[in-house]
Amino acid sequence: MTAIAQRIADIRAGIPQDSAALVAVSKYHSAEAIAEAYAAGQRIFGESRVQELQEKQARLPSDIAWHFIGHLQPNKVKYIAPYIALVHAVDTPKLLSEIDRQARRFGRRIEVLLQIHVAAEATKFGMTFDECRALLDKGEWRDMQGIQIAGLMCMATHTDDESRIRAEFRSVRTFFDEIKARHFADCPAFRHRSYGMSEDYRIALAEGSTLVRIGSAIFGERQ
Ligand SMILES: *Cc1c(COP(=O)(O)O)cnc(C)c1O
């Protein structure tokens, strides 16, 4: 087994009963490193820059499910709309409607997650709980045939304080249940809680993550 394959196997072994899927975050890593993970059976990869994703998508197998995990500018949606499987970090109504528009141009329905800002750092993106409630209550998304809102995403504060990280994940889980009951009770597609990275994915799994986004613990430090 290669080192990458071994790390993927170890992470998978720590996910209780397939409760979450592993998104291998390959940003800044080479197509060769991705091919190694692919050979180990990994099929979901996360990228955060459009141009880098475009280059990799063109070179790598077509059955890879590419997830866009970074901050996405509306004017770049058109480049990835033909193939992107899931957009994790939708943080404005404008981005949501642009994904809808571009998806319909390509005859697609793209799954998206709404990004919630729970971390202490102001540099992290996302909506407050109230902004997210307002967007959903407004209801325009119900007429958007090009998107499917599939859940929520967040990043925790970068801290050694585990209880703080746990509380942030837990708050998003509670909010997920609220939103599910209010808007998606009859919608099985609303199912994802995307949280947990290399440093905090074990806490995230314990707090109900369904998608862990792990980069450096698989591929090593980014260049
Ligand atoms: C880079 C990144 C990750 C992965 O980070 P690691 O610490 O390398 O696991 C996860 N989510 C987002 C949004 C990222 O930008």
Side-chain angles (χ1 to χ4, degrees):
M1 244 195 216
T2 67
I4 286 175
Q6 185 64 58
R7 291 188 208 120
I8 288 174
D10 290 347
I11 292 166
R12 284 185 185 284
I15 299 178
Q17 292 150 10
D18 294 326
S19 56
L22 170 61
V23 180
V25 175
S26 47
K27 64 185 185 198
Y28 309 117
H29 290 282
S30 65
E32 289 69 27
I34 298 174
E36 206 175 310
Y38 181 91
Q42 181 64 29
R43 290 294 179 274
I44 307 176
F45 292 90
E47 290 281 336
S48 62
R49 293 190 306 189
V50 168
Q51 195 184 335
E52 183 180 343
L53 171 55
Q54 290 284 89
E55 289 165 15
K56 289 172 174 172
Q57 193 270 341
R59 285 184 59 188
L60 287 154
S62 59
D63 65 340
I64 287 178
W66 293 103
H67 287 195
F68 199 85
I69 62 166
H71 184 63
L72 181 57
Q73 285 165 2
N75 63 359
K76 298 205 171 154
V77 172
K78 57 179 177 285
Y79 300 114
I80 61 173
Y83 62 83
I84 200 76
L86 179 66
V87 178
H88 282 240
V90 172
D91 60 350
T92 61
K94 185 179 173 202
L95 177 57
L96 189 65
S97 57
E98 181 60 10
I99 296 170
D100 171 53
R101 201 170 73 89
Q102 295 297 339
R104 285 186 284 106
R105 275 186 60 213
F106 293 101
R108 298 193 64 215
R109 182 164 210 169
I110 297 176
E111 290 206 310
V112 304
L113 308 179
L114 303 176
Q115 182 177 14
I116 306 296
H117 187 287
V118 289
E121 296 94 347
T123 48
K124 286 181 178 150
F125 294 97
M127 293 179 265
T128 64
F129 293 126
D130 276 342
E131 286 167 343
C132 188
R133 284 188 186 102
L135 182 151
L136 290 169
D137 283 344
K138 210 167 167 212
E140 287 169 343
W141 56 276
R142 290 187 184 277
D143 300 320
M144 297 182 183
Q145 299 301 314
I147 53 119
Q148 171 64 57
I149 299 177
L152 304 177
M153 175 269 200
C154 77
M155 291 173 86
T157 303
H158 188 73
T159 173
D160 293 333
D161 180 358
E162 278 201 17
S163 65
R164 172 162 196 154
I165 296 169
R166 191 175 292 280
E168 289 174 355
F169 290 151
R170 195 167 290 182
S171 73
V172 171
R173 182 177 197 161
T174 302
F175 186 63
F176 176 96
D177 292 341
E178 174 194 318
I179 294 302
K180 176 94 182 159
R182 186 170 168 85
H183 297 286
F184 298 97
D186 301 324
C187 177
F190 187 85
R191 65 200 184 283
H192 281 309
R193 295 177 292 268
S194 168
Y195 42 76
M197 315 187 355
S198 293
E199 294 292 318
D200 58 18
Y201 77 89
R202 291 178 186 83
I203 305 171
L205 288 169
E207 295 301 331
S209 173
T210 68
L211 285 172
V212 285
R213 311 178 307 263
I214 302 182
S216 43
I218 295 173
F219 296 107
E221 291 305 318
R222 289 178 280 278
Q223 309 305 312

